[in-house]
Amino acid sequence: MILEGVEILKPIIFDVDTGIDDAMAMAYALNSPELEVLGFTTCFGNVPVVESTRNTLAVLEKLNRRIPVFEGADQTLVRGRKKKYPKHVHGEDGLGNTLQFEPTIKASQGNAVDFIIDQVKSRPHEITIIAVGPMTNIAMAIKKAPTIMSLVKEVVIMGGAVNVPGNVTPYAEANIISDPEAADQVFASGLPITLVGLDVTLQTYLLKSKLDDWRATGKESAKFLAEMTDYYMKAYENSHPGLGGCALHDPLAVGVAIDSSFVSTEWMNVKVVTEGEETGRTIGQKDGEPRIRVCTNVESDRFVKHFLERVI
Ligand code: BDR
Ligand code: CA
């Protein structure tokens, strides 16, 4: 937005479960002048939360950026749900087994849920939350401070598979099945949500040849991202033989937060199946008073170009 010649940045809280595509999304967001990342909040998901925090700090250190990181949930909202960490996709360390150092920067004091609530309270109707892991932190913030959370400007969520099959089971996408109750409560909360699911992220591909371009820059951070993405692409080669690349799940959520014209959307209500074989399934319905913008199409080439111009 430009107001009387002064550019206003979009203030962002970025909720991550860092992971390889989370790391790419972080670099993309931090290199985007439209966004002001106020802080990262971490969740379990691709790895346990302690590792998710460590990976977030490690990526920031490699990018030479100092942004507050607040640790969040290490458990599902309804306690006792079994967690499975996708080591075959993100590696033992969550970063494709490339992490060879302990970050020297430390997480901030305090926890993710309080950070979210405090920021929203201090900047009513201004803050966009980008959430690219399980929805546990957001659900806990809504539970703790529902009236304050109603002051969030927008929530852009990478998660779900409304009109396409899941990527963990035939029904469920990873971020949703990791905490289905949390996702269901967030979707029912009335917050202004844009849902960036597999319907669109599986249309956005990063080709393997681009990693050579990243390495050729000679930048430490570019090499770090290329090495971990190589691992991610190998996992994709097993699940999608012949693809020659990987999908840009979490980066697309950042892209949509920067420029929503990358996608087209349909208004729906979204419910999550929380029991039985179809657990984690996101069911979109257009009847009633639909309140969630579900992304159903993406201008893939334009988005991927934008991502590539900025990520390194
Ligand atoms: C989502 O699941 C995680 O593995 C990725 O980081 C992404 O957020 C894709 O289904
Ligand atoms: Ca993620």
Side-chain angles (χ1 to χ4, degrees):
M1 175 168 52
I2 303 207
L3 205 64
E4 290 174 11
V6 182
E7 194 173 349
I8 313 278
L9 301 180
K10 220 181 218 194
I12 299 289
I13 296 173
F14 200 165
D15 192 70
V16 291
D17 62 331
T18 313
I20 298 169
D21 60 326
D22 304 68
M24 286 191 270
M26 286 176 65
Y28 181 30
L30 292 171
N31 290 334
S32 289
E34 300 85 352
L35 306 182
E36 178 195 7
V37 183
L38 303 172
F40 290 92
T41 52
T42 64
C43 189
F44 74 91
N46 290 322
V47 282
V49 75
V50 175
E51 293 172 32
S52 165
T53 304
R54 176 204 60 199
N55 292 353
T56 306
L57 294 165
V59 172
L60 284 173
E61 195 154 311
K62 278 282 179 190
L63 294 174
N64 207 12
R65 297 293 294 267
R66 300 291 179 269
I67 311 268
V69 176
F70 291 86
E71 190 156 287
D74 66 347
Q75 293 279 345
T76 52
L77 194 66
V78 175
R79 304 249 149 174
R81 269 205 183 269
K82 265 219 173 104
K83 285 175 282 179
K84 280 194 204 140
Y85 302 113
K87 297 185 172 169
H88 59 296
V89 182
H90 293 272
E92 289 291 325
D93 60 6
L95 296 179
N97 304 332
T98 62
L99 192 59
Q100 281 161 359
F101 66 99
E102 268 302 316
T104 57
I105 51 178
K106 302 282 173 233
S108 301
Q109 296 291 326
N111 69 71
V113 171
D114 290 334
F115 175 71
I116 294 170
I117 293 169
D118 290 347
Q119 290 295 315
V120 174
K121 192 174 175 182
S122 67
R123 301 179 74 165
H125 306 292
E126 283 185 35
I127 290 180
T128 297
I129 300 175
I130 304 176
V132 298
M135 252 123 276
T136 323
N137 290 333
I138 321 283
M140 286 170 74
I142 294 169
K143 209 168 182 175
K144 189 164 179 184
T147 44
I148 289 169
M149 288 303 281
S150 68
L151 306 174
V152 170
K153 184 176 178 209
E154 191 187 2
V155 189
V156 182
I157 291 173
M158 190 285 129
V162 176
N163 296 318
V164 297
N167 58 359
V168 175
T169 72
Y171 309 101
E173 182 278 330
N175 288 338
I176 305 293
I177 202 169
S178 294
D179 197 344
E181 283 84 3
D184 195 44
Q185 291 185 21
V186 171
F187 294 158
S189 67
L191 288 188
I193 293 171
T194 301
L195 192 62
V196 184
L198 300 182
D199 305 72
V200 279
T201 63
L202 282 176
Q203 297 178 41
T204 61
Y205 289 110
L206 174 66
L207 295 179
K208 204 167 167 49
S209 59
K210 299 295 174 199
L211 302 188
D212 297 332
D213 300 346
W214 294 5
R215 289 188 181 99
T217 64
K219 283 189 186 175
E220 263 298 297
S221 57
K223 268 167 44 190
F224 185 52
L225 280 181
E227 291 310 305
M228 68 176 84
T229 306
D230 226 354
Y231 185 97
Y232 197 52
M233 287 186 175
K234 283 183 187 131
Y236 262 84
E237 191 52 36
N238 293 331
S239 54
H240 301 74
L243 180 70
C246 65
L248 290 168
H249 301 293
D250 294 350
L252 184 58
V254 172
V256 171
I258 297 169
D259 180 356
S260 61
S261 76
F262 284 132
V263 287
S264 35
T265 59
E266 290 175 34
W267 287 99
M268 298 185 200
N269 283 320
V270 181
K271 287 194 168 39
V272 179
V273 177
T274 55
E275 274 173 37
E277 191 196 351
E278 296 189 7
T279 295
R281 181 175 188 166
T282 40
I283 300 174
Q285 289 158 331
K286 291 188 181 165
D287 43 356
E289 268 182 58
R291 284 194 290 201
I292 295 183
R293 281 160 31 124
V294 175
C295 298
T296 49
N297 231 319
V298 54
E299 283 185 37
S300 178
D301 291 349
R302 188 162 70 87
F303 159 69
V304 174
K305 184 166 174 282
H306 190 264
F307 166 78
L308 286 172
E309 280 165 2
R310 291 177 172 202
V311 64
I312 295 306

